[in-house]
Amino acid sequence: MQVILAQALLGLNVGVFYAMLSLGLAVIFGLLNIINFAHGAMYMLGAFIALIGYSYLEQWFGISLQIGFWGSLIVAPLVVGLLGIIIERTMLKRLADLDHIYGLLLTFGITLILQGLFANYFNVSGTPYPGQPEVLGGVLNLGFMFFPTYRMFAIVFSLVVCFATWYVIEHTRLGSRLRAGVENPQLTQAFGLNVPLMVTLTFGFGAALAGLAGVLAAPIYSVSPLMGADLIIVVFAVVVIGGMGSIMGAILSGLALGLVEGLTKVFYPPAANTVIFFLMVLVLLFRPAGLFGKEK
Amino acid sequence: MMNKVLFAIMLVAGLVAPFLAYPVFVMDLLCFALFACAFNLLLGYAGLLSFGHAAFFGGAAYIAGHALKVWGFPPLLGILAGTGFAFLIGTVFGFLAIRRQGIYFAMVTLALAQIIYFLCLQLPFTGGENGLQGIPRGELLGFIDLGNEITMYYLVFAIFLVGFGIIYRAIHSPFGEVLQAIRENESRALSLGYDVDRFKLLAFVLSATMAGLAGSTKALVFQFASLTSAHWQTSGEVVLMTLVGGMGTVFGPVLGAITVATLTHELGSFGSWVQVILGTIFVVVVLVFRRGIIGEIHHFVEQRKAARASADND
């Protein structure tokens, strides 16, 4: 029982990353109709910004400054979000009227570029992130078991971010405007809302979420150029399972599938890295539009 | 007319190539060219973007390799075994993937292919990260030694021509016309009474099978089935080859495969910069060069024809 609970919590830990990434994909997909393949690379970039900010600023850039974990939580999403905005403004914008596969292909190219760049300077097998704050060190006594404090923090923090995003989109004025833009861009623009700006900022926000997830992941997994690519394919399956029609659907399916993956590690370890793909097959067979799906 | 000229060029170039360049390298190009042609059948003619074709290419290589090495199959039968495997998983994947459209189709194929990748990594017979090594080339029909590079080359060239011919026939048949109708407007094809799903599935299976043929042949040439061939990056590479050469053109993928594979080969010493360069080419092609090399030539010829026709009318 102990083992199962422990693995379930660890699974939930993976699940919050799935949730954050699939949430970002869903937000971007809603407004731009693009699947951002580079989402995984942006997650990796977030982790590397944390690592470089902590360990390499002086060595590489001659800046005697160290950005700690808390600083990275702010800096990395800003940088990654800004990169997203630049990519949207300079490249994705030109593809808006074309078949949506071109957006996927473009972001695939960007993935290769980012991944290749970091693979030149960092070991593909990973570099540990040394900047985990001391407050979050050690283990937490949950009564029935002990659990690493940092992982608990990552779970709670990600959940707060996910649900805050959901709240903003579903229950605020800003969110209602965004949803109007998703529903009918022309009409929304005719009402005087700046839809192109909304699109750009949304892409930037989605990218920032990926960057933030990367920072949170850095102390848990070692930081590697390939960390995003492996993850993003699983997140694609999560998105196929959940359907991208609803924000809450993206969050919940991310959490649930992380949990399933964690539990698979207990019962049948060799299938742990494929179980989500098999679930996707089942969903395709019995509920092709996805669990929360309304197909676009 | 243009196609006939290009075919003649390809045939002559293919026949003399092993005397002008390193045969193993040219065989590698031919395998990728066939792979890209198979992929193009799906993307260029049916308008379906599969991001999982490495599963057929790489997966078939493992099965062919295992059949040749452990079961002692003769070369052609080994290739057939690999191709048959690609046909089988192509049928299953195709059946699942066509249940979703557009961008979801790409994600589904990518995720399904990842299952094959993990199988190639984890199953006991695959050699894990090292791949399946020491595949014997054997003797063709029991008496032609394939250890000779030139002999091996002409077998590979023959296989390429057969695969290319099958794909060419499929494209220039009523079946191919229907595929293009589906690509242009799926609802219209459906309302004309075509069983759209069946056509898509057939195209998918044919494409997967030919990709498997290419992968099996590659395993025989290199005597090695590598994990890289089954990796998602290979799925991306074949998309790039098709795009660079010109998707929806008969010879584009061949030219694209030669361009991209040569580039990767030449830049081999730059390590990870190869990825950066390939990624940059991807971005540039998608942004400003979507017709690809052959597509641009077609476009240029068509425009001149149109200009001449309008000049004649005046």
Side-chain angles (χ1 to χ4, degrees):
Chain A
M1 199 56 207
Q2 280 270 319
V3 182
I4 294 178
L5 273 175
Q7 283 299 337
L9 266 178
L10 288 176
L12 192 65
N13 191 191
V14 179
V16 292
F17 293 127
Y18 290 164
M20 255 173 131
L21 291 177
S22 63
L23 171 65
L25 280 182
V27 169
I28 290 172
F29 183 76
L31 217 51
L32 284 85
N33 268 316
I34 278 175
I35 286 295
N36 180 23
F37 202 110
H39 219 64
M42 287 166 169
Y43 161 86
M44 168 205 75
L45 190 61
F48 268 110
I49 290 171
L51 178 69
I52 292 170
Y54 194 83
S55 310
Y56 295 95
L57 274 186
E58 176 139 32
Q59 191 182 333
W60 284 11
F61 305 102
I63 311 166
S64 53
L65 177 78
Q66 190 182 47
I67 301 174
F69 177 77
W70 303 111
S72 298
L73 279 182
I74 296 164
V75 173
L78 284 179
V79 175
V80 178
L82 192 66
L83 178 76
I85 286 174
I86 292 170
I87 289 172
E88 201 280 329
R89 275 278 142 144
T90 57
M91 293 185 255
L92 284 173
K93 213 177 180 59
R94 296 154 180 263
L95 303 175
D97 300 328
L98 297 170
D99 194 321
H100 303 148
I101 62 169
Y102 286 110
L104 182 73
L105 295 177
L106 182 93
T107 49
F108 179 79
I110 293 171
T111 304
L112 289 185
I113 296 175
L114 286 174
Q115 200 172 295
L117 278 178
F118 280 95
N120 276 312
Y121 300 105
F122 290 94
N123 196 334
V124 283
S125 59
T127 316
Y129 174 73
Q132 179 182 316
E134 266 178 46
V135 198
L136 301 176
V139 289
L140 212 60
N141 187 353
L142 299 178
F144 55 92
M145 64 177 282
F146 291 94
F147 194 71
T149 314
Y150 180 78
R151 282 175 181 261
M152 196 45 103
F153 163 77
I155 293 175
V156 174
F157 188 89
S158 311
L159 284 178
V160 169
V161 171
C162 284
F163 287 106
T165 307
W166 168 80
Y167 183 82
V168 168
I169 291 176
E170 297 290 338
H171 293 285
T172 64
R173 221 180 147 74
L174 175 68
S176 68
R177 289 176 176 180
L178 275 179
R179 281 180 287 132
V182 172
E183 211 58 51
N184 192 333
Q186 277 86 13
L187 198 60
T188 313
Q189 185 133 15
F191 279 129
L193 290 174
N194 189 343
V195 175
L197 183 69
M198 270 160 52
V199 167
T200 305
L201 291 181
T202 304
F203 193 82
F205 176 74
L209 270 184
L212 184 63
V215 179
L216 286 171
I220 301 178
Y221 311 108
S222 33
V223 183
S224 129
L226 301 178
M227 64 192 283
D230 296 334
L231 192 66
I232 195 65
I233 300 178
V234 183
V235 174
F236 279 174
V238 170
V239 161
V240 172
I241 292 171
M244 280 183 291
S246 99
I247 298 294
M248 193 48 107
I251 299 174
L252 291 182
S253 39
L255 293 176
L257 289 165
L259 212 58
V260 170
E261 196 185 283
L263 291 177
T264 312
K265 279 204 180 102
V266 185
F267 295 108
Y268 189 61
N273 47 21
T274 43
V275 63
I276 292 183
F277 301 126
F278 283 112
L279 283 176
M280 181 191 79
V281 170
L282 287 181
V283 168
L284 284 172
L285 282 175
F286 297 108
R287 230 189 119 89
L291 295 182
F292 301 86
K294 46 173 191 197
E295 193 109 331
K296 271 215 159 187
Chain B
M1 177 59 200
M2 190 172 147
N3 275 355
K4 275 187 188 147
V5 175
L6 285 173
F7 185 77
I9 295 174
M10 187 176 82
L11 199 63
V12 174
L15 286 172
V16 301
F19 301 103
L20 304 175
Y22 184 47
V24 175
F25 176 60
V26 188
M27 287 191 259
D28 192 29
L29 292 185
L30 284 175
C31 292
F32 273 120
L34 180 56
F35 183 26
C37 287
F39 177 78
N40 180 46
L41 172 67
L42 199 58
L43 176 63
Y45 292 90
L48 297 172
L49 173 64
S50 156
F51 236 108
H53 258 49
F56 312 124
F57 186 68
Y62 274 95
I63 298 300
H66 188 70
L68 291 163
K69 186 181 165 186
V70 180
W71 298 336
F73 278 29
L76 289 183
L77 212 54
I79 289 179
L80 204 63
T83 312
F85 173 74
F87 168 80
L88 286 179
I89 55 168
T91 310
V92 176
F93 285 13
F95 173 75
L96 290 167
I98 60 169
R99 297 170 78 89
R100 297 295 278 270
Q101 259 101 38
I103 215 107
Y104 280 101
F105 182 88
M107 290 195 288
V108 169
T109 45
L110 180 61
L112 289 172
Q114 205 67 359
I115 297 179
I116 298 295
Y117 175 77
F118 279 113
L119 287 178
C120 289
L121 184 63
Q122 291 174 339
L123 284 181
F125 77 90
T126 56
E129 305 234 341
N130 300 323
L132 189 64
Q133 297 178 351
I135 300 167
R137 277 193 188 171
E139 288 169 335
L140 182 64
L141 305 174
F143 66 97
I144 305 169
D145 179 19
L146 290 178
N148 182 321
E149 299 295 1
I150 299 292
T151 319
M152 185 70 218
Y153 174 82
Y154 284 108
L155 174 66
V156 172
F157 189 48
I159 291 173
F160 168 77
L161 286 178
V162 169
F164 185 84
I166 292 173
I167 293 165
Y168 185 89
R169 270 322 313 153
I171 292 169
H172 296 89
S173 68
F175 168 72
E177 298 293 328
V178 176
L179 284 188
Q180 290 172 60
I182 293 171
R183 179 191 67 190
E184 294 308 323
N185 190 332
E186 190 169 330
S187 335
R188 187 170 58 202
L190 194 64
S191 72
L192 286 173
Y194 290 109
D195 187 348
V196 169
D197 278 356
R198 217 188 51 162
F199 277 95
K200 280 192 194 169
L201 180 60
L202 271 176
F204 194 92
V205 172
L206 185 58
S207 171
T209 311
M210 289 300 121
L213 178 63
S216 311
T217 309
K218 191 168 187 248
L220 187 67
V221 171
F222 286 90
Q223 303 181 271
F224 172 49
S226 77
L227 200 54
T228 322
S229 299
H231 195 251
W232 56 265
Q233 223 152 321
T234 304
S235 297
E237 244 168 66
V238 78
V239 182
L240 183 60
M241 289 169 178
T242 309
L243 274 181
V244 167
M247 67 171 174
T249 64
V250 177
F251 291 93
V254 179
L255 199 60
I258 293 173
T259 314
V260 174
T262 309
L263 202 70
T264 325
H265 182 78
E266 293 296 322
L267 296 173
S269 53
F270 289 92
S272 298
W273 287 109
V274 178
Q275 261 197 27
V276 180
I277 292 165
L278 287 184
T280 311
I281 297 175
F282 232 116
V283 169
V284 171
V285 168
V286 170
L287 282 178
V288 298
F289 194 62
R290 284 183 290 273
R291 287 194 195 99
I293 302 170
I294 300 277
E296 287 291 345
I297 296 174
H298 271 303
H299 183 69
F300 179 72
V301 172
E302 293 295 316
Q303 267 189 334
R304 288 212 28 193
K305 251 190 226 162
R308 206 173 301 150
S310 70
D312 285 349
N313 286 341
D314 291 339

